[in-house]
């Protein structure tokens, strides 16, 4: 259950399904799933009586436990598994004193907590994969739709040469596709059983240790790693790093969208809805409220990722404090990214685009953004240095006289001797200076389609 302090902002920053995965119930159920699977695995190799499994399984239901009591007990125990295993044992004993003897046999607290976490992360990645796939498809549709729609490229926040809106969206699509590839690649490394007992050797299980480990991995449908990873945390940090990358790419989308929504630009907008983006005092406002979540998540994520990195040099075979630093950090990262993805999924399919405003904004410099096109064309006839100098002079004249560059070029005898009026018109048309923009869109779409098959 969410604490009261989270309820106001959870709906804005976190997807409900992801919050459910990392709720108290989700955490406890992950550990209980480990305990139930451990009993089945040990029974399957003859280590414990088969009739002890049913009472243990019946007690492995998170709804049976008092989370408030567990939380209080954690303050003395130092982790969540110790009081949970005690409570589990009592509940099993109420049904079978014989079965209670075999609860948690040969495992350690971190085995239950880490393996339970991995089960949560598996559910979390399913949600992430669904949302990333949905976002990729929405970006693909919009990139194709606006593949040939010119807008001003901007470098150092100043107008540069023209690009297309489709090219800009294709850039985000490419990043999302790579994140989907990364997630698929790391899943075999992430979805690994944690099972090593007190110090990682599984000595308590004697000769049955390896058969139990194999059976437990099968029961949980997790990979059996080369050895326990109690203090080797690279798997979790790799996943955290990917979450940071996803947050950063979504932040880039949010940043650009918010800039395009500025009054002075007014080119692309979040979809409108009743009550969305308003101001408490200014009725005219249309604020980029979804972009704010994307930027906010991208701002918070690096600190959380750095905490995961900082927690890597864990002492010997069980860490003091560094392991503890992970417990809330990784779930918070998952929740942050899930919320950002939800906002992106709201925004991208319904983008409101003002292509006419884009074209007008391209004309704000009165042709100066296309000076490069003229310079390159002239360079083929009079040489690079001479062409650059000539066009630079014309640009200065246009600025000084507040004239359109086309008029200045057309009136310049040196330019007119080399370029006809029709050539100048074409060179100063943004739609004719889009370079490989269409190709970039097509390549991003091809990569997306290849991965999505």
């Amino acid at each position: 259950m969410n604490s009261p302090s989270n309820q106001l902002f959870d709906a804005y920053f976190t997807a409900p399904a992801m919050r459910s995965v990392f709720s108290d119930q989700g955490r406890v159920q992950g550990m209980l799933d480990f305990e139930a699977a451990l009993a089945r695995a040990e029974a399957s190799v003859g280590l414990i009586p088969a009739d002890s499994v049913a009472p243990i399984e019946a007690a492995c239901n998170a709804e049976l436990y008092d989370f408030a009591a567990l939380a209080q007990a954690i303050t003395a125990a130092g982790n969540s598994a110790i009081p949970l295993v005690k409570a589990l044992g009592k509940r099993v004993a109420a049904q079978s004193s014989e079965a209670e003897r075999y609860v948690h046999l040969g495992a350690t607290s971190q085995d239950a907590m880490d393996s339970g976490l991995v089960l949560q992360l598996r559910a979390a990645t399913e949600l992430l994969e669904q949302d990333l796939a949905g976002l990729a498809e929405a970006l693909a549709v919009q990139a194709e739709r606006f593949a040939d729609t010119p807008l001003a490229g901007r470098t150092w926040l100043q107008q540069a040469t023209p690009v297309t809106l489709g090219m800009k969206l294709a850039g985000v699509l490419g990043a999302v596709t790579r994140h989907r590839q990364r997630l698929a690649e790391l899943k075999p490394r992430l979805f690994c059983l944690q099972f090593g007992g007190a110090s990682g050797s599984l000595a308590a299980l004697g000769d049955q240790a390896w058969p139990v480990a194999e059976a437990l991995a099968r029961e949980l449908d997790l990979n059996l790693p080369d050895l326990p990873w109690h203090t080797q945390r690279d798997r979790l940090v790799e996943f955290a790093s990917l979450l940071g990358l996803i947050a950063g790419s979504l932040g880039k989308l949010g940043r650009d969208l918010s800039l395009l929504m500025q009054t002075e630009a007014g080119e692309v907008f979040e979809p409108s809805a009743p009550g969305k983006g308003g101001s408490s005092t200014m009725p005219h406002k249309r604020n980029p409220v979804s972009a704010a979540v994307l930027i906010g998540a991208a701002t918070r994520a690096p600190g959380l990722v750095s905490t995961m990195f900082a927690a890597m040099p864990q002492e010997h075979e069980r860490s003091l404090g560094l392991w503890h630093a992970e417990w809330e950090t990784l779930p918070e990262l998952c929740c942050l990214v899930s919320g950002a993805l939800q906002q992106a999924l709201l925004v991208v399919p319904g983008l409101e685009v003002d292509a006419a405003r884009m074209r007008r904004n391209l004309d704000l410099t009165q042709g100066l953004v296309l000076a490069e096109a003229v310079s390159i064309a002239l360079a083929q006839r009079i040489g690079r240095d001479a062409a650059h100098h000539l066009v630079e002079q014309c640009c200065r004249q246009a600025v000084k006289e507040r004239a359109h560059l086309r008029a200045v070029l057309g009136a310049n005898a040196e330019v007119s001797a080399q370029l006809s009026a029709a050539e100048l018109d074409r060179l100063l048309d943004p739609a004719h200076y889009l370079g490989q923009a269409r190709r970039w869109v097509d390549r991003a779409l091809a990569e997306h389609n290849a991965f999505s098959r």
Side-chain angles (χ1 to χ4, degrees):
M1 180 180 297
N2 294 337
S3 66
S5 62
N6 285 336
Q7 291 176 356
L8 280 177
F9 296 125
D10 252 20
Y12 190 35
F13 289 111
T14 302
M18 190 66 79
R19 176 61 71 191
S20 179
V21 169
F22 292 106
S23 64
D24 289 342
Q25 181 163 332
R27 294 172 190 261
V28 170
Q29 191 59 60
M31 290 186 285
L32 291 173
D33 288 345
F34 169 84
E35 297 294 346
L38 177 62
R40 293 193 299 270
E42 291 178 337
S44 73
V45 301
L47 184 62
I48 68 174
D51 58 7
S52 67
V53 174
I56 295 175
E57 283 188 314
C60 288
N61 181 345
E63 295 179 359
L64 301 174
Y65 296 86
D66 183 343
F67 299 158
L70 286 174
Q72 187 62 36
I74 289 170
T75 63
N79 69 53
S80 56
I82 292 173
L84 179 61
V85 170
K86 287 182 179 178
L88 172 62
K90 290 179 181 178
R91 189 165 288 278
V92 173
Q95 300 297 318
S96 169
S97 58
E98 174 71 13
E100 189 272 337
R101 295 164 53 189
Y102 304 110
V103 170
H104 197 64
L105 181 64
T108 192
S109 298
Q110 191 169 358
D111 292 338
M113 291 182 66
D114 278 351
S115 291
L117 172 63
V118 170
L119 297 179
Q120 290 178 280
L121 294 178
R122 183 163 63 190
T125 57
E126 290 176 2
L127 297 174
L128 292 172
E129 285 180 316
Q130 292 170 11
D131 287 348
L132 286 168
L135 179 57
E137 187 57 35
L139 286 165
V141 169
Q142 297 289 50
E144 174 65 34
R145 178 183 177 189
F146 298 109
D148 301 312
T149 303
L151 83 161
R154 293 173 170 95
T155 61
W156 290 46
L157 293 175
Q158 306 297 307
Q159 282 199 13
T161 54
V163 294
T164 69
L165 179 58
M167 174 181 158
K168 186 179 285 287
L169 294 171
V172 184
L173 173 60
V176 171
T177 299
R178 291 189 295 277
H179 296 326
R180 296 174 70 197
Q181 293 168 340
R182 292 180 180 108
L183 185 54
E185 291 163 2
L186 71 79
K187 282 165 59 176
R189 294 188 291 275
L190 180 63
F191 298 159
C192 280
L193 175 70
Q194 175 73 285
F195 188 50
S199 296
S201 66
L202 283 178
L205 297 181
D207 293 339
Q208 293 284 59
W210 188 248
V212 169
E214 291 181 315
L216 180 55
R218 287 194 298 272
E219 288 288 341
L220 294 173
D221 193 24
L222 295 176
N223 295 322
L224 186 58
D226 49 357
L227 70 164
W229 43 278
H230 294 124
T231 50
Q232 298 292 343
R233 312 305 283 178
D234 56 286
R235 291 178 172 85
L236 300 184
V237 177
E238 181 183 15
F239 181 57
S241 300
L242 174 55
L243 293 173
L245 288 171
I246 295 171
S249 293
L250 295 177
K252 156 69 172 170
L253 171 62
R255 183 75 72 189
D256 281 359
L257 178 57
S258 66
L259 292 171
L260 293 172
M261 281 185 68
Q262 283 188 294
T263 305
E264 292 79 5
E267 296 175 348
V268 183
F269 300 88
E270 294 180 2
S272 58
K276 187 175 189 289
S279 165
S280 62
T281 60
M282 295 174 283
H284 71 282
K285 289 296 289 297
R286 185 173 177 182
N287 294 322
V289 295
S290 291
V293 174
L294 304 186
I295 297 168
T299 303
R300 293 173 62 191
L304 296 169
V305 175
S306 71
T307 297
M308 294 296 294
F309 272 100
M312 285 189 74
Q314 300 193 4
E315 310 88 349
H316 300 305
E317 281 65 55
R318 189 80 79 255
S319 178
L320 173 67
L322 296 178
W323 175 42
H324 300 67
E326 300 172 354
W327 295 351
E328 292 186 305
T329 302
L330 192 53
E332 187 176 354
L333 257 174
C334 290
C335 289
L336 264 182
V337 172
S338 74
L341 282 167
Q342 290 299 300
Q343 294 293 334
L345 284 165
L346 286 174
V347 166
V348 172
L351 286 175
E352 297 180 11
V353 176
D354 189 340
R357 179 66 178 267
M358 290 178 181
R359 188 59 183 254
R360 288 199 300 273
N361 285 346
L362 274 169
D363 289 335
L364 287 175
T365 64
Q366 299 196 88
L368 293 179
V369 295
L370 289 159
E372 180 190 74
V374 179
S375 180
I376 290 175
L378 278 174
Q380 308 305 311
R381 306 180 188 187
I382 64 174
R384 180 184 179 281
D385 288 345
H388 182 84
H389 180 69
L390 178 56
V391 174
E392 186 178 42
Q393 284 183 317
C394 290
C395 288
R396 289 176 179 173
Q397 181 182 346
V399 171
K400 182 178 180 179
E401 297 176 358
R402 297 184 179 180
H404 198 286
L405 181 60
R406 171 66 180 83
V408 174
L409 291 169
N412 185 284
E414 292 182 75
V415 173
S416 299
Q418 302 297 331
L419 299 173
S420 67
E423 287 176 309
L424 283 174
D425 289 341
R426 179 179 176 81
L427 288 169
L428 291 169
D429 181 351
H432 292 136
Y433 199 65
L434 298 176
Q436 299 296 305
R438 179 75 218 202
R439 183 187 296 272
W440 303 150
V441 172
D442 290 343
R443 287 173 65 85
L445 291 173
E447 188 75 7
H448 159 69
N449 291 330
F451 182 82
S452 299
R453 286 196 187 102

